[in-house]
Amino acid sequence: MSRLSIAIVGAGIGGLTAALALARQGHEITLVERRTGFSEVGAGLQLSPNASRILIGLGLGPALRRVATEPQRVLVRSLRSGKSIGQVALGAFMRQLFEAPYWVVHRADLQTILLDAVRSEPSIRLVMGRTVEAVEDGPEEAALTWISAGGARETFRADLILGADGIRSRVRQALGDGTPPTYRGYIAWRATFDRNSAPAELAGDETGLWLGPHGHVVHYPIAGGRLINLVAIEKSPTPVEGWAAPGHRDELLARYGSAAPALRRLLAQPQEWLRWSLFDHPAERFAKGRIALLGDAAHPVLPFLAQGAALAIEDAATLACLLRENKPDVPQTLLTYEKQRLDRARRVQDEARKNGRIYHAGSLIAFGRDRVMRHLGPEGMTKRYEWLYGFRIPE
Ligand SMILES: Cc1cc2nc3c(=O)[nH]c(=O)nc-3n(C[C@H](O)[C@H](O)[C@H](O)COP(=O)(O)OP(=O)(O)OC[C@H]3O[C@@H](n4cnc5c(N)ncnc54)[C@H](O)[C@@H]3O)c2cc1C
């Protein structure tokens, strides 16, 4: 096995997973992150079996089990009337069908577990507080230039540079794509609060999904069941800046004025809300020469299928598997990586957009949607996603 020097830009969920998976294949990793520390930003993340299987394979199962919850089902209700529309089976049914659990976790918990694992790998060097400004490809190696907060510039050369630098990726520009992501007309409000203060009927081990024509709400327990994670999606013609713009509870409640009383009681619980706008960008290229993309940098996805983190984790594991080979031809391997990932990323992006339309359907389409859900039943609803949750890395 020849040891490659790999530089990864961005230590989000994708970059951390890639660093770990590639180091386990014997490569030398330099992981560059512009933040100076890891804060507790973010809320709940759903780790469906396609992602949990990979993380368990990386040895993170015991740590994740301590912080994850495993909802038994998704209860789908009408946002206005509160009436049940249908269910999706999760829990034991999902675990048996796909041989891996459907977990929900706090984003900060997953990040901490990955970071601890990364820090204990001697072949990973974590360089914090450096912003990558430029990336350049070359026949023998690729180079990146980073700048420190004090303005010092440094150039680093590697056999391969992996852009895991999120939706506004700088590395994507080196692949010839400088177009910004597209705002999709939705703002997500998110909050976490103590599970003990949730209305009793909504505090169970379940994921709640409330559908209405102007938005939808998702909630589930996280942090080992101590907190409830709450996300409310609203349509909005203009975006807000960043991942964590403050939102006012009264404004949200006014927007959900016609929601069912139990849901309004739930939405009234958190004192503090944060908002972020939903963007995506078509997946087009994953690789060129010795440079490749991963996660949101390659294929930002709307959260309506809960696959943003899962796809990044799949990318990381796929690439690590392809680079397992003895003396890999890097540009050729990266093209194979693109070939293996492009169609799947596009399909997930399309399905997520489609889910948005179905979730927010007007009365006629909603009538058909509700009938289909009832007809399929909880297990049938789960089985529809065999292509997604049953993912295995191609041999
Ligand atoms: C702060 C934050 C909060 C989030 N909260 C949620 C949430 O609550 N729920 C949810 O479902 N999803 C959330 N997401 C999105 C979700 O984490 C991602 O969709 C998914 O994990 C894929 O991640 P990624 O690693 O590809 O990209 P990201 O998670 O965006 O990570 C990219 C990393 O690259 C770093 N970076 C960017 N540019 C540079 C550069 N030029 N040089 C060096 N480093 C750079 C960023 O600081 C970041 O750490 C959040 C993302 C962020 C960044």
Side-chain angles (χ1 to χ4, degrees):
M1 153 100 233
S2 72
R3 199 174 164 87
L4 296 176
S5 155
I6 301 177
I8 302 176
V9 185
I13 308 293
L16 289 166
T17 309
L20 201 57
L22 289 161
R24 297 275 167 85
Q25 302 293 355
H27 303 298
E28 189 80 40
I29 313 299
T30 302
L31 178 55
V32 192
E33 169 57 49
R34 71 176 167 198
R35 287 177 289 163
T36 47
F38 288 92
S39 60
E40 297 262 314
V41 188
L45 273 184
Q46 309 195 33
L47 285 176
S48 46
N50 47 323
S52 68
R53 183 183 298 116
I54 292 168
L55 297 175
I56 291 169
L58 288 170
L60 306 181
L64 280 167
R65 252 173 233 115
R66 280 197 286 277
V67 297
T69 41
E70 191 179 11
Q72 294 310 303
R73 61 190 160 212
V74 183
L75 280 179
V76 189
R77 300 178 181 91
S78 155
L79 194 146
R80 281 197 182 143
S81 71
K83 284 193 185 136
S84 168
I85 295 175
Q87 293 189 19
V88 184
L90 303 178
F93 180 75
M94 188 74 118
R95 204 175 341 110
Q96 275 153 24
L97 193 60
F98 300 116
E99 297 169 331
Y102 197 115
W103 279 328
V104 290
V105 293
H106 196 300
R107 188 175 179 279
D109 285 337
L110 174 60
Q111 189 174 267
T112 303
I113 288 169
L114 284 166
L115 195 57
D116 285 349
V118 157
R119 285 194 165 129
S120 62
E121 275 291 336
S123 53
I124 304 176
R125 177 180 162 227
L126 181 56
V127 185
M128 301 287 296
R130 306 287 191 282
T131 301
V132 171
E133 281 192 326
V135 180
E136 211 177 309
D137 196 18
E140 301 301 328
E141 30 178 39
L144 56 76
T145 304
W146 67 56
I147 179 165
S148 69
R153 282 192 172 72
E154 197 179 326
T155 296
F156 182 83
R157 293 175 203 289
D159 296 313
L160 190 170
I161 292 175
L162 193 51
D165 50 343
I167 188 160
R168 293 176 199 284
S169 169
R170 173 57 68 114
V171 182
R172 188 163 65 224
Q173 293 175 16
L175 268 62
D177 181 357
T179 49
T182 308
Y183 175 55
R184 289 290 170 194
Y186 298 101
I187 292 181
W189 293 64
R190 62 168 199 256
T192 53
F193 67 97
D194 191 331
R195 191 179 182 181
N196 292 325
S197 52
E201 71 270 36
L202 301 181
D205 270 339
E206 290 145 359
T207 294
L209 173 61
W210 305 70
L211 304 182
H214 303 296
H216 72 273
V217 176
V218 183
H219 55 89
Y220 45 78
I222 54 168
R226 284 180 292 107
L227 302 175
I228 299 265
N229 177 59
L230 192 48
V231 179
I233 305 288
E234 60 147 335
K235 288 184 180 167
S236 166
T238 43
V240 291
E241 274 290 311
W243 287 100
H248 298 289
R249 182 177 59 171
D250 293 347
E251 194 188 324
L252 178 72
L253 286 173
R255 287 172 203 272
Y256 281 85
S258 58
L263 178 58
R264 279 182 58 79
R265 282 203 300 283
L266 191 73
L267 294 174
Q269 286 303 322
Q271 299 297 319
E272 288 176 16
W273 286 87
L274 296 175
R275 295 173 299 156
W276 96 91
S277 303
L278 304 186
F279 288 80
D280 74 4
H281 185 73
E284 262 152 28
R285 287 199 89 158
F286 277 59
K288 190 176 170 208
R290 294 177 171 272
I291 303 172
L293 300 177
L294 169 152
D296 282 4
H299 46 65
V301 52
L302 292 174
F304 306 154
L305 197 58
Q307 287 296 309
L311 270 190
I313 291 167
E314 284 185 10
D315 289 342
T318 305
L319 187 59
C321 183
L322 288 169
L323 289 170
R324 192 175 49 183
E325 207 186 296
N326 202 16
K327 289 200 189 358
D329 172 339
V330 172
Q332 194 53 47
T333 307
L334 295 185
L335 286 180
T336 309
Y337 163 67
E338 174 175 286
K339 213 164 156 219
Q340 287 193 4
R341 297 301 299 158
L342 189 55
D343 286 351
R344 181 164 173 86
R346 283 181 170 157
R347 183 168 183 190
V348 172
Q349 285 186 319
D350 288 349
E351 288 285 330
R353 283 186 212 115
K354 195 168 102 192
N355 258 5
R357 292 193 294 276
I358 293 172
Y359 283 4
H360 309 135
S363 50
L364 203 63
I365 295 174
F367 178 75
R369 170 198 71 198
D370 299 355
R371 277 187 67 142
V372 170
M373 271 195 211
R374 277 192 280 272
H375 171 73
L376 286 173
E379 296 182 356
M381 287 290 290
T382 304
K383 284 181 180 162
R384 278 184 329 145
Y385 285 114
E386 204 141 8
W387 65 271
L388 182 60
Y389 303 142
F391 170 80
R392 310 267 167 176
I393 296 162
E395 280 305 318

